[in-house]
Amino acid sequence: MALFDLHHPWLLVFGVLGNVISILVFLAPVPAFRRICKEKSTMGYQSVPYVVALFSSMLWMYYAFIKKNAILLVSINSFGCIVETIYITIFILYASKESRRQTVRLLVLLIGGLYTLIFLITLFPLNGVLRVQVVGWICVTVAVGVFAAPLSIVFQVVRTKSVEFMPFTLSFFLTLSAIMWFGYGLLLKDLCIALPNVLGFFLGMIQMLLYGIYRNAKPSIDLEKKVCELVINSEQIHPLDSKDINSNDEQGINTPGVVPVSVANNNDNEERLGEQLAQVNLQPLQTPVLVVCAA
């Protein structure tokens, strides 16, 4: 097989290293899913990244099969399909009814609908080189979208001056993975494999650069401080003496629907406090879940 030809030693090196690094990146969400299993709840996590990852891995595996000389591309995306299927199964098992329905609908749309459509359209009407090219550029389009998705986190880092949800290790391994698969595609003379990883490399470099800039910066929005201020303010509100209300009643002052100021203020503060706490609790869920494009 050409892949293991001694005339292509660097192709094997880049492919094997790409597999090893991508496996580590695929396993990045494991701690989150261990927590989901422990808590028996998805805790607000979304299934979209995992379904998209499964869709992407299936597309790249299909491309590698029809290309016929990219065994290492088949191996990593086979691993990705298995891991993402496990993630999705765990998610469905512990998700709420609404989240479960949304996940099933997304699976039917992407896997049962779009993937099946791409497979049928490219398998029967097309053949040979044309089929490989069409599937390859479809994979490139999906990969560019996948790599562009973390840009929202980049904007969040710049806005909040906090790198809490952009771990350096993950950015570093994403960059290494992009380098390995770019080299693999280049040596294989496959633009569809090499091109998306140029974007992946630059995105990884931007993330590491931002980490270096903001790692010691004080966040511009300190939710914890705001929550503490709300608690303190709520404690400083003095309750309205019920005797005052009773005296108004005795004097014939009509006070229908009057809510004690303290109760109204406390309710207001409780609502605001709940919103702030909800933001604090939901922040980790905005962490970009890695969608590996091993190509």
Side-chain angles (χ1 to χ4, degrees), residues 11-45:
L11 183 64
L12 181 61
V13 169
F14 276 102
V16 170
L17 288 177
N19 270 253
V20 172
I21 296 170
S22 294
I23 285 173
L24 295 176
V25 181
F26 266 124
L27 296 176
V30 166
F33 278 90
R34 288 181 61 186
R35 186 181 170 197
I36 286 174
C37 292
K38 182 179 179 181
E39 300 292 335
K40 300 187 185 305
S41 167
T42 55
M43 300 173 293
Y45 281 90

Side-chain angles (χ1 to χ4, degrees), residues 2-244:
L3 177 65
F4 299 104
D5 195 325
L6 292 178
H7 291 90
H8 301 80
W10 283 107
L11 183 64
L12 181 61
V13 169
F14 276 102
V16 170
L17 288 177
N19 270 253
V20 172
I21 296 170
S22 294
I23 285 173
L24 295 176
V25 181
F26 266 124
L27 296 176
V30 166
F33 278 90
R34 288 181 61 186
R35 186 181 170 197
I36 286 174
C37 292
K38 182 179 179 181
E39 300 292 335
K40 300 187 185 305
S41 167
T42 55
M43 300 173 293
Y45 281 90
Q46 300 297 316
S47 61
V48 176
Y50 309 106
V51 177
V52 172
L54 177 61
F55 174 68
S56 177
S57 293
M58 290 175 67
L59 269 181
W60 281 110
M61 191 161 60
Y62 174 43
Y63 174 72
F65 273 127
I66 62 177
K67 189 175 175 60
K68 297 180 180 179
N69 61 343
I71 299 300
L72 292 174
L73 199 59
V74 174
S75 63
I76 186 57
N77 285 290
S78 300
F79 179 81
C81 287
I82 294 171
V83 170
E84 298 301 335
T85 301
I86 293 172
Y87 290 157
I88 294 169
T89 303
I90 294 173
F91 184 91
I92 291 175
L93 184 62
Y94 293 111
S96 64
K97 289 183 179 179
E98 181 59 30
S99 295
R100 192 177 295 122
R101 281 197 294 267
Q102 290 177 355
T103 302
V104 172
R105 281 199 295 265
L106 189 59
L107 281 169
V108 171
L109 178 65
L110 282 183
I111 309 301
L114 187 55
Y115 179 81
T116 303
L117 182 64
I118 292 171
F119 181 80
L120 293 176
I121 288 177
T122 57
L123 185 64
F124 296 109
L126 306 177
N127 53 46
V129 177
L130 181 59
R131 179 194 298 160
V132 174
Q133 289 178 344
V134 170
V135 175
W137 285 106
I138 291 173
C139 289
V140 169
T141 304
V142 173
V144 169
V146 167
F147 275 128
L151 285 174
S152 60
I153 291 298
V154 170
F155 295 140
Q156 180 183 348
V157 169
V158 174
R159 186 175 66 252
T160 63
K161 296 182 173 58
S162 171
V163 293
E164 182 179 359
F165 307 116
M166 191 181 70
F168 177 82
T169 306
L170 187 56
S171 300
F172 176 73
F173 279 107
L174 273 172
T175 307
L176 278 184
S177 177
I179 292 172
M180 294 302 115
W181 289 112
F182 172 76
Y184 181 80
L186 197 64
L187 292 171
L188 202 58
K189 298 179 181 179
D190 190 326
L191 187 62
C192 293
I193 296 176
L195 187 60
N197 288 288
V198 175
L199 176 62
F201 171 76
F202 281 111
L203 179 60
M205 292 300 293
I206 290 171
Q207 289 178 338
M208 290 192 290
L209 179 62
L210 287 175
Y211 186 91
I213 294 172
Y214 293 116
R215 62 175 180 163
N216 295 321
K218 184 178 180 181
S220 58
I221 300 175
D222 192 346
L223 289 176
E224 185 178 353
K225 182 179 178 182
K226 292 174 75 174
V227 171
C228 290
E229 287 175 354
L230 283 172
V231 173
I232 292 171
N233 289 335
S234 67
E235 290 176 350
Q236 289 175 345
I237 297 173
H238 300 288
L240 182 65
D241 194 344
S242 59
K243 292 180 180 178
D244 294 337

